[in-house]
Amino acid sequence: MIDNQPKKTKAYIAGVNLNDPNFDYYMTELANLTEADNMEVVGQSYQNAESIVAGTYFGVGKINEIRTMAQGLKAKVLVLNDELTPVQIRNLEKLTKMRVIDRTELILEIFASRARTKQAKLQVQLARLQYELPRLHPSENNLDQQRGGGFANRGAGESKLEMNRRTIGKQISAIKKELKAVASQEEIKSARRNQSRIPKVALVGYTNAGKSTTMNGLLKEFSKEGSDKEVFVKNMLFATLDTSVRRIDLKDNFSFILSDTVGFISKLPHNLVESFKATLQETKDADLLINVVDASDPNMVQMIRTTQNVLDEIGVKGIPMITAYNKADKTDRNYPQIEGSDILYSAIDPKSIKLLADLITKRVFSNYEKLNLNLPLSAGKELAYLHENAQVLSENYEEDGVHIEANIAPDDQSRFEKYLVNNR
Ligand SMILES: Nc1nc2c(ncn2[C@@H]2O[C@H](COP(=O)(O)OP(=O)(O)OP(=O)(O)O)[C@@H](O)[C@H]2O)c(=O)[nH]1
Ligand SMILES: [Mg+2]
């Protein structure tokens, strides 16, 4: 059989365990990330230690062991479980004769390969440059220094370093400026959404949990535009890097705005989270979060914790949340099923999607109040506002005005007080 697949680079993965109960889970993630970066994991090892060795990350014995093992397995790349210092990376490359990639660089590479839109590309580029800046080192300009020979030329390498730093610094400012321009466009749209009383619901969660599939499921069931508005779904880490915002129109005039965004993983590089601030804004502005969890994954509990940690890091606090246990079709449990404020479902099952929509409706509109109003026929503007921002249950044009029964947001209730009919 002819194998047309290009051969994947073989990688050896390793880490130092500082007595962390989640260490095995982090190594599993590291293996998945390495595969997601188009490499093949051929082996792994770890070292239990009290602390990281400052200059070389591992102790000498471990480095020798890794070099021997990795060479035997023909690994070309050594992938490490933490963010390393530039000195540690350089020393390990010398000692192992392999390319060394730390966890941060690995995640940045994956994001770079996935970025499609201008905003995502700029955000990843910014995070990469910020990662590189402190990693520029005079020794990387050895050639210049050596070529010059002699003492007199010693400054040449350093000035090149300065030059590189300045160039990267300039690139960073330019990208930040461009990002601001892109973000302000988004802000205008988002401000418009914030002005409206339509509730905002945000899908969040671990990467590959099924957020985008859930969004498409809701769109298929409840959006007039249907499949035109569907988002990209794929069985891979970080399929989504942008935020998509769609309007979902449920029965009985219930509408909400739904957003789907980038997924999370443990130890997301801080720079990356910082760069993706604009993308994650929709999550911060939400009235309700749906935390999508892959219920068929044995590491489900750690994944939930990871999502909580990232939400804390980006400053998402106090927003009500539904935990949505997805992929129930891959478990032996009965679904769909509501369990308190949570749901067990499958995003590819229409019945599940309807139950999820019911749960969202209940949660989002729980503090709305059902009011009976009588609006004069001249109050066209108020009527339009109600249709846009409340759930209009019934509407009858009578001689004395328009009789309306509607569920109205707490903030809007005073606005319609004067039209109240006292028959509640
Ligand atoms: N069997 C099964 N597969 C599902 C279900 N939901 C999603 N998937 C699959 O899981 C994979 C990931 O789905 P996505 O919707 O792209 O996941 P995501 O959370 O948006 O992932 P990222 O954007 O990468 O963070 C795809 O192959 C989906 O087809 C489900 O309920 N059952
Ligand atoms: Mg997605």
Side-chain angles (χ1 to χ4, degrees), residues 114 203-216 231-242 260-264 292 294 296 325-330 335 345-349 352:
R114 305 278 199 259
L203 294 157
V204 295
Y206 200 83
T207 178
N208 213 41
K211 299 176 293 298
S212 301
T213 309
T214 302
M215 176 152 208
N216 287 346
V231 294
F232 179 61
V233 164
K234 197 164 177 189
N235 189 17
M236 66 181 189
L237 302 186
F238 305 113
T240 306
L241 287 196
D242 300 282
D260 172 37
T261 192
V262 57
F264 304 151
V292 181
D294 180 349
S296 72
Y325 295 92
N326 185 28
K327 306 197 189 180
D329 56 304
K330 289 169 81 180
Y335 70 94
Y345 77 115
S346 166
I348 49 177
D349 163 46
S352 288

Side-chain angles (χ1 to χ4, degrees), residues 12 14 120 126 135 191 212 216 255 302 332 341 386 388 392 402:
Y12 195 88
L126 177 62
R135 286 175 164 70
S212 301
N216 287 346
S255 298
Q302 273 119 327
D332 53 13
S341 63
L386 275 178
E388 191 57 31
V392 177
V402 193

Side-chain angles (χ1 to χ4, degrees), residues 313-333:
E313 192 184 338
I314 61 177
V316 172
K317 279 195 296 268
I319 303 180
M321 185 190 281
I322 290 173
T323 307
Y325 295 92
N326 185 28
K327 306 197 189 180
D329 56 304
K330 289 169 81 180
T331 73
D332 53 13
R333 301 178 59 193

Side-chain angles (χ1 to χ4, degrees), residues 25-26 29 202-211 238 261-268 273 280 283 289-294 299-317 321-324:
Y25 166 63
Y26 292 144
E29 280 189 337
L203 294 157
V204 295
Y206 200 83
T207 178
N208 213 41
K211 299 176 293 298
F238 305 113
T261 192
V262 57
F264 304 151
I265 203 159
S266 311
K267 308 196 209 180
L268 266 180
V273 175
L280 291 164
T283 306
L289 300 178
I290 303 176
N291 180 1
V292 181
V293 177
D294 180 349
N299 289 315
M300 179 179 86
V301 174
Q302 273 119 327
M303 290 168 161
I304 295 174
R305 197 175 309 134
T306 298
T307 298
Q308 196 50 59
N309 290 343
V310 181
L311 288 174
D312 289 346
E313 192 184 338
I314 61 177
V316 172
K317 279 195 296 268
M321 185 190 281
I322 290 173
T323 307

Side-chain angles (χ1 to χ4, degrees), residues 10-160:
K10 290 183 172 23
Y12 195 88
I13 66 171
V16 174
N17 184 2
L18 302 173
N19 217 352
D20 187 335
N22 292 317
F23 182 77
D24 288 345
Y25 166 63
Y26 292 144
M27 287 299 285
T28 307
E29 280 189 337
L30 191 69
N32 292 337
L33 285 165
T34 306
E35 307 263 347
D37 197 24
N38 232 356
M39 293 185 273
E40 181 194 351
V41 177
V42 291
Q44 60 171 297
S45 53
Y46 64 94
Q47 177 169 38
N48 288 319
E50 289 301 314
S51 60
I52 301 280
V53 178
T56 49
Y57 183 64
F58 295 111
V60 180
K62 197 57 165 186
I63 297 175
N64 289 333
E65 181 194 309
I66 289 174
R67 189 186 53 226
T68 310
M69 298 279 286
Q71 274 174 1
L73 293 161
K74 298 197 164 44
K76 293 278 175 285
V77 179
L78 175 61
V79 181
L80 301 172
N81 190 33
D82 292 290
E83 181 169 318
L84 270 66
T85 67
V87 172
Q88 287 167 343
I89 292 186
R90 253 194 311 277
N91 286 339
L92 279 173
E93 287 195 331
K94 264 189 221 139
L95 293 167
T96 61
K97 310 232 168 351
M98 283 193 274
R99 181 181 167 211
V100 173
I101 303 180
D102 68 4
R103 191 173 170 117
T104 299
E105 194 181 350
L106 182 66
I107 295 176
L108 288 172
E109 274 189 8
I110 298 169
F111 269 62
S113 69
R114 305 278 199 259
R116 291 283 169 270
T117 64
K118 187 176 173 194
Q119 189 180 24
K121 281 182 186 164
L122 288 170
Q123 285 169 327
V124 178
Q125 222 176 332
L126 177 62
R128 281 190 117 175
L129 288 172
Q130 280 168 334
Y131 172 80
E132 273 170 29
L133 190 59
R135 286 175 164 70
L136 291 177
H137 192 272
S139 69
E140 268 152 22
N141 300 307
N142 272 348
L143 276 182
D144 294 60
Q145 287 181 351
Q146 282 160 9
R147 211 178 295 132
F151 206 61
N153 268 335
R154 194 179 256 177
E158 277 179 30
S159 63
K160 174 123 189 256

